[in-house]
Amino acid sequence: MGSTDKPADLETTKEVPPPPKGAAYGSTPPPPKHDHFFVVDVVLRFLVFAASLASVLVIVISKQKVHLGPALSVAKFNHSPAFIYFVAALSVAGLYAILTTLLSLSVIWKPILSTKLLLHFVFLDVLALGLVASATGTAGAVAYIGYKGNDHTHWLKVCSTFDKFCKHVVGALATSLFASVLLVLLVWLSTFTLHRKIPK
């Protein structure tokens, strides 16, 4: 008499692998860890904002009046297109810095947004660096002519007369150069952070 027992289903007899340690079925993945690089990023971006704001304020209040005989001569930043461009560029850089500072703070609160913003930060930081560096170089060239003059083109020195104005310009250039260095550091930081996120 034949047996009525059915052969066991091979699929059901296979052992189910145990879940990995520390994990349970149906559990959600752990939240992303806070990236401490964004804390440094926030500090650097705030310093860029402070340096840009200081540069703009120092050169805007650089107006100086000097009596040259019967005439009254005035030196102001808006008398030179290079200094006007300098103020406009540093104003844009300061606005950009404060906006990206707020974005970096949002990444600290919500780390899941970090990868999405890092690549944008690299591109935008390079643009901001080019803007600040070009403005600093342009204003610096005009300031050098005012300080040294040029014998070949008979451009006279003016800093011996407008000493206060030239000191303000030098201070604004120094702080804008500091902002440029900070932007270089930001580009390096964002690039390095992106490199760390590439799976190996």
Side-chain angles (χ1 to χ4, degrees), residues 20-179:
K21 292 182 178 180
Y25 290 112
S27 62
T28 57
K33 296 180 180 179
H34 290 280
D35 199 336
H36 297 291
F37 282 96
F38 275 95
V39 178
V40 180
D41 186 84
V42 168
V43 174
L44 290 177
R45 292 183 187 282
F46 181 77
L47 288 176
V48 171
F49 166 71
S52 302
L53 180 62
S55 296
V56 172
L57 291 178
V58 167
I59 200 169
V60 165
I61 63 173
S62 62
K63 179 179 178 180
Q64 183 180 7
K65 297 180 180 179
V66 175
H67 289 277
L68 298 175
L72 177 65
S73 297
V74 180
K76 297 172 63 177
F77 81 94
N78 55 5
H79 291 170
S80 169
F83 293 149
I84 295 175
Y85 171 60
F86 179 83
V87 170
L90 269 294
S91 299
V92 172
L95 179 61
Y96 165 76
I98 196 64
L99 290 177
T100 51
T101 299
L102 297 176
L103 285 175
S104 291
L105 285 173
S106 69
V107 170
I108 294 176
W109 293 327
K110 295 181 179 180
I112 196 173
L113 301 175
S114 61
T115 307
K116 297 180 181 179
L117 288 178
L118 275 174
L119 189 60
H120 294 84
F121 277 172
V122 172
F123 291 144
L124 294 176
D125 288 346
V126 169
L127 291 176
L129 173 60
L131 184 65
V132 174
S134 65
T136 303
T138 303
V142 174
Y144 181 82
I145 293 296
Y147 181 70
K148 290 287 188 179
N150 192 309
D151 295 334
H152 301 287
T153 56
H154 303 289
W155 290 341
L156 302 177
K157 304 175 183 178
V158 297
C159 286
S160 57
T161 303
F162 298 98
D163 55 342
K164 175 191 171 184
F165 175 77
C166 289
K167 288 178 181 178
H168 277 255
V169 171
V170 170
L173 289 173
T175 51
S176 67
L177 184 61
F178 177 62

